[in-house]
Amino acid sequence: MVCIDIFGKIIEDSKINFSDIENINFELNKNYKNNNPALKINFSENKKNNEKYIKKLINFNKLNKNFITKYNNYKIKYILSNYTDEILVAIKALFIDDTMEKYLYLYDNIFKNLDKIWHKYNPCKFCDNICIASKNHKTAHKENGCCYSFKYSKNVFKFIDNVQICKYLGKEKTCTTENISCKFFVCNYLKNKNLFNINMSDFLLVNAFFTNKQKLILKYNFFRSKEEILEKLMKKDNSPFLFYYLYGFYRI
């Protein structure tokens, strides 16, 4: 277990006798007063439940539900058990009031997790700048894999225009802007061969903190800068979701 104080800082276990801390157990369907003792949260391997827990904590913040227990010189807000690194990131995000700062913090951590996955499995198997799909003649370009930017065509007889090497592809063949949409993208060759896939729905930080419209922004803005995507996440759009999706309002 670990304790989180009212500032979002982790208190070392060696300084805590958990049995001495007044607390209440977290329950999804329980009603809480405006002021409560420290909240004890038992996370699990069930990702969907963990997402519900984080969303409930977000809602507590909106409703000004306070949780605090004074213990020695500490003011403890949460007691966590069975947590993961991703859950700790989510908890820390709860303490960031500035929206842009929060989105930046979440974006960086989601990107870092995606980067770890790609490096761990190395599904593209690049060799001499040629990926596995290209080796099997399943790409439009011989080199640089999927790193070709384009624009959706206004010509009804064409789908895309202005195809060229992505301007953010660096000399070391890595992304110079940390585009999160490109990290979520997996080509059809890898998916159809059941070699590799990434599902956005598996990411607690995405599902807990971003709306369905914002998920489209994160998923489909290829070849854009990190800053552009973050700015797009900040923009409000009151159009119905179906129109937002069909008319591509999520695109930068």
Side-chain angles (χ1 to χ4, degrees):
M1 288 193 294
V2 68
C3 285
I4 310 292
D5 71 9
I6 59 171
F7 304 106
K9 295 181 180 179
I10 297 175
I11 303 170
E12 295 178 19
D13 290 359
S14 59
K15 298 179 180 180
I16 296 294
N17 185 346
F18 290 98
S19 61
D20 291 340
I21 303 173
E22 182 186 3
N23 65 82
I24 51 176
N25 288 324
F26 177 75
E27 298 176 26
L28 281 173
N29 299 320
K30 183 177 178 179
N31 292 320
Y32 294 89
K33 299 180 295 183
N34 287 337
N35 296 291
N36 310 272
L39 190 63
K40 186 177 181 181
I41 312 168
N42 182 29
F43 290 97
S44 68
E45 294 182 359
N46 188 317
K47 291 185 177 181
K48 291 301 178 184
N49 273 350
N50 292 341
E51 289 169 18
K52 290 178 182 178
Y53 291 172
I54 298 299
K55 287 181 179 179
K56 188 74 172 181
L57 295 179
I58 293 171
N59 193 49
F60 285 159
N61 283 352
K62 293 178 181 178
L63 297 173
N64 293 318
K65 302 286 185 181
N66 295 314
F67 300 89
I68 181 172
T69 292
K70 293 182 180 179
Y71 176 82
N72 293 338
N73 295 320
Y74 303 109
K75 294 180 179 179
I76 296 171
K77 184 165 187 173
Y78 301 130
I79 302 171
L80 312 180
S81 60
N82 298 321
Y83 57 90
T84 62
D85 289 341
E86 189 177 32
I87 288 170
L88 284 180
V89 169
I91 294 295
K92 185 173 180 179
L94 295 173
F95 293 87
I96 303 175
D97 294 326
D98 183 83
T99 304
M100 176 57 90
E101 185 182 345
K102 179 179 294 187
Y103 286 168
L104 174 60
Y105 176 72
L106 293 168
Y107 186 108
D108 285 344
N109 277 279
I110 295 165
F111 187 92
K112 182 172 66 175
N113 289 339
L114 285 165
D115 206 37
K116 286 180 180 178
I117 293 170
W118 281 101
H119 279 91
K120 178 180 178 179
Y121 294 101
N122 186 28
C124 301
K125 302 290 190 295
F126 271 101
C127 182
D128 296 327
N129 203 27
I130 299 173
C131 70
I132 188 173
S134 181
K135 289 175 184 176
N136 286 278
H137 311 291
K138 298 296 182 181
T139 58
H141 308 278
K142 183 178 179 180
E143 297 181 327
N144 298 307
C146 301
C147 294
Y148 288 84
S149 64
F150 58 84
K151 292 184 178 179
Y152 290 101
S153 179
K154 295 180 180 179
N155 186 333
V156 294
F157 298 104
K158 297 178 67 177
F159 180 55
I160 58 175
D161 282 322
N162 197 28
V163 179
Q164 58 184 312
I165 288 286
C166 179
K167 65 181 180 181
Y168 296 113
L169 181 63
K171 293 181 180 179
E172 301 300 322
K173 302 301 178 183
T174 57
C175 181
T176 60
T177 189
E178 297 186 345
N179 179 293
I180 203 167
S181 300
C182 294
K183 281 293 181 183
F184 273 118
F185 176 78
V186 178
C187 75
N188 287 333
Y189 178 81
L190 293 177
K191 289 191 289 188
N192 293 339
K193 293 289 184 179
N194 293 318
L195 297 173
F196 182 75
N197 201 4
I198 288 178
N199 293 311
M200 181 179 277
S201 60
D202 292 332
F203 288 76
L204 178 147
L205 297 178
V206 173
N207 296 320
F209 288 93
F210 295 103
T211 66
N212 287 332
K213 289 180 179 179
Q214 289 176 318
K215 290 175 187 177
L216 293 176
I217 294 169
L218 292 171
K219 190 172 183 179
Y220 292 116
N221 279 297
F222 311 108
F223 318 117
R224 296 291 185 172
S225 71
K226 171 183 175 179
E227 292 73 21
E228 286 178 299
I229 295 174
L230 286 167
E231 287 179 12
K232 184 70 173 178
L233 288 171
M234 291 290 293
K235 291 182 178 179
K236 304 293 183 183
D237 189 296
N238 295 321
S239 60
F241 179 79
L242 184 60
F243 287 150
Y244 189 81
Y245 174 71
L246 291 177
Y247 288 99
F249 292 159
Y250 54 86
R251 294 196 184 106
I252 296 170

